[in-house]
Amino acid sequence: GAVVSQHPSRVICKSGTSVKIECRSLDFQATTMFWYRQFPKKSLMLMATSNEGSKATYEQGVEKDKFLINHASLTLSTLTVTSAHPEDSSFYICSARGPDTQYFGPGTRLTVL
Amino acid sequence: RKEVEQDPGPFNVPEGATVAFNCTYSNSASQSFFWYRQDCRKEPKLLMSVYSSGNEDGRFTAQLNRASQYISLLIRDSKLSDSATYLCVVKPGAQKLVFGQGTRLTINP
């Protein structure tokens, strides 16, 4: 089946630094990718929808200047958390729209100290 | 009102038991429905799609009631490996998926 990878799987950083997370579709082209965030014991919340070659569409309440999304190719989307703070610590999951459903990456656990 | 609502549980049942989860959704125009399974600290994985006629996959049966905007999942003869969080997922439009909070299930030996 289709596979989506994420890198890194885990990152610990100091407050104020920026962190980039990569999401790749490995065996299919994804014109649309999605970025989710999940806090402990909470549901996945869609942050933004990323379309190749165009600006991402952000969900209400998500700061586009803080969470920078780039979808420069059909197999790669990146999420950059700028000036990260402890409240940004969460599980970030990307998803790519494949031929028949959405495929999820394994997630990136971000801890901001 | 949340777009997708689930009983968060937790459900603790003995191995071999039958367990049922329910979910309601608010957008009556929703067209696609799914159950996902998420293990601790892992990404969600598609368990099964849900069709109006109801569908079965081995020990798992999913039902959809459009009039009541209600989705269910039944697990028969539960196994220890069924322990996970089960997510009710609705696709209200062409693009995004909307996830319920999830119902945590623990199967006890």
Side-chain angles (χ1 to χ4, degrees):
Chain A
V3 177
V4 174
S5 70
Q6 265 185 257
H7 178 80
S9 59
R10 186 181 181 119
V11 59
I12 301 172
C13 69
K14 292 182 179 179
S15 184
T17 59
S18 294
V19 175
K20 180 186 281 189
I21 303 170
E22 292 186 349
C23 177
R24 293 179 186 275
S25 57
L26 298 184
D27 55 1
F28 67 99
Q29 293 183 330
T31 55
T32 304
M33 289 186 175
F34 305 89
W35 286 96
Y36 294 85
R37 180 168 55 181
Q38 186 177 33
F39 292 106
K41 298 185 180 180
K42 300 292 184 182
S43 184
L44 275 77
M45 296 299 296
L46 180 66
M47 299 174 67
T49 301
S50 166
N51 293 297
E52 187 267 337
S54 65
K55 290 184 179 179
T57 303
Y58 289 80
E59 295 297 302
Q60 192 173 8
V62 179
E63 298 175 59
K64 63 180 181 184
D65 294 328
K66 180 171 179 64
F67 299 99
L68 301 178
I69 291 173
N70 185 292
H71 193 160
S73 79
L74 287 171
T75 59
L76 173 65
S77 176
T78 61
L79 167 68
T80 301
V81 183
T82 61
S83 186
H85 291 283
E87 58 265 30
D88 298 323
S89 299
S90 187
F91 191 45
Y92 292 85
I93 307 174
C94 74
S95 172
R97 181 192 282 173
D100 50 359
T101 186
Q102 278 191 31
Y103 298 92
F104 286 84
T108 297
R109 191 160 300 279
L110 171 64
T111 303
V112 185
L113 303 176
Chain B
R1 182 185 173 187
K2 292 181 182 177
E3 286 191 77
V4 180
E5 292 206 58
Q6 289 181 254
D7 180 348
F11 284 51
N12 290 282
V13 301
E15 193 174 7
T18 295
V19 60
F21 303 137
N22 303 319
C23 166
T24 57
Y25 60 96
S26 61
N27 188 335
S28 60
S30 298
Q31 293 297 318
S32 301
F33 310 89
F34 310 90
W35 283 101
Y36 276 73
R37 169 194 169 127
Q38 186 175 24
D39 293 292
C40 189
R41 294 176 173 266
K42 299 286 186 182
E43 76 277 20
K45 295 189 176 177
L46 179 64
L47 180 65
M48 58 197 303
S49 300
V50 187
Y51 304 114
S52 296
S53 55
N55 49 299
E56 188 174 307
D57 183 1
R59 298 181 292 109
F60 299 84
T61 301
Q63 297 275 355
L64 168 65
N65 184 322
R66 286 187 184 273
S68 302
Q69 294 178 207
Y70 172 95
I71 305 162
S72 67
L73 176 68
L74 184 77
I75 305 175
R76 291 182 300 277
D77 187 25
S78 54
K79 312 292 184 189
L80 295 176
S81 57
D82 294 333
S83 297
T85 296
Y86 290 83
L87 303 167
C88 177
V89 182
V90 173
K91 195 173 184 181
Q95 294 241 54
K96 67 179 186 181
L97 299 177
V98 179
F99 286 79
Q101 182 181 359
T103 299
R104 192 187 302 178
L105 172 66
T106 300
I107 306 298
N108 302 308

